[in-house]
Amino acid sequence: METVSENACFGGTQGVYTHKSKACDCDMTFGLFLPEEAKWGAVPVLWYLSGLTCTHENAMTKAGAQQWAAEQGIALVFPDTSPRGEGVANDDAFDLGQGAGFYVNATQDPWAPHFRMWDYVTEELPVLIASNFAIDSARQAITGHSMGGHGALTIAMNIPDRFASVSAFSPIVNPTQSSWGRKQFGAYLGSDESQWSKHDATLLMNEKGFDGPILCDTGTSDQFLDLLMPESFAKACATRRQQSILRMQPGYDHSYFFVSSFMEEHIAFHAEALYAG
């Protein structure tokens, strides 16, 4: 692992690091904010998964999350959204290929050799960070935006004992029934739709639910609202009687202006769960 940069930030440190990823078979970059409390001991961690076209940098510079994480004494991890570099498959469309990993392990060519974002985010990167920084792996939460909201919800429900809480901004919650999902799942996972279900938050809510609190915010003026399908996830939560706060925020769109507007509330929501007991 190599340090790209480290900057003082709200009493803590915002770092950017690169490393050779075994899961993705290429160099990967991530951001990590450590609050001041990490100087004296391990701190809880909130994972932030970004959306389509983003890198580790978008949320790190636009979400305004460090201020609120510093107040709560919580670390923030900002992984990249896909493998990158020479020899990594790509596509001219913004919603497939580099910048659009969808947090799955691809099984189809030409994506399979590198696009293993599920293993990267759930296995490799957590071990790397816990081995090198003052992170309390027993206290973790996860959030994300758009494609990253999809990733946060599906990872949380598939690994229920790891995360105290999960939240999402404008998440893609029913991708098996949306053109913003069927295209990518078909490309990455193949035509057998039974392999898609573990990556659909609505199907997972119907099947498993989540043993903890959920918070989701979506804007009523989101230009991608028909592709996000928040009503599907809301129905599944109601049917399961899942502990959840699902909000439609009037006038907000899909941008980081929306994300930053509600970031304080999301971090406070996670802090309550991370420090419970």
Side-chain angles (χ1 to χ4, degrees), residues 13-36:
T13 303
Q14 176 61 63
V16 177
Y17 309 92
T18 186
H19 69 106
K20 177 67 176 179
S21 167
K22 183 177 179 180
C24 296
D25 193 24
C26 65
D27 290 339
M28 295 291 288
T29 302
F30 67 92
L32 174 66
F33 170 74
L34 289 173
E36 186 176 18

Side-chain angles (χ1 to χ4, degrees), residues 199-272:
H199 300 292
D200 186 303
T202 296
L203 298 182
L204 286 167
M205 179 55 63
N206 285 324
E207 179 187 352
K208 298 181 178 184
F210 178 68
D211 188 18
I214 295 174
L215 170 63
C216 291
D217 278 315
T218 305
T220 61
S221 296
D222 193 305
Q223 57 270 47
F224 304 113
L225 197 55
D226 289 342
L227 297 171
L228 304 178
M229 303 178 70
E231 66 280 359
S232 298
F233 189 66
K235 181 179 179 180
C237 287
T239 299
R240 180 166 280 277
R241 298 178 180 176
Q242 169 70 43
Q243 179 186 357
S244 57
I245 302 169
L246 310 177
R247 306 186 298 195
M248 298 298 301
Q249 299 291 0
Y252 284 91
D253 59 17
H254 201 74
S255 70
Y256 265 96
F257 297 111
F258 161 63
V259 173
S260 61
S261 295
F262 297 97
M263 182 57 71
E264 180 184 7
E265 294 179 38
H266 279 244
I267 290 181
F269 165 81
H270 289 296
E272 182 176 0

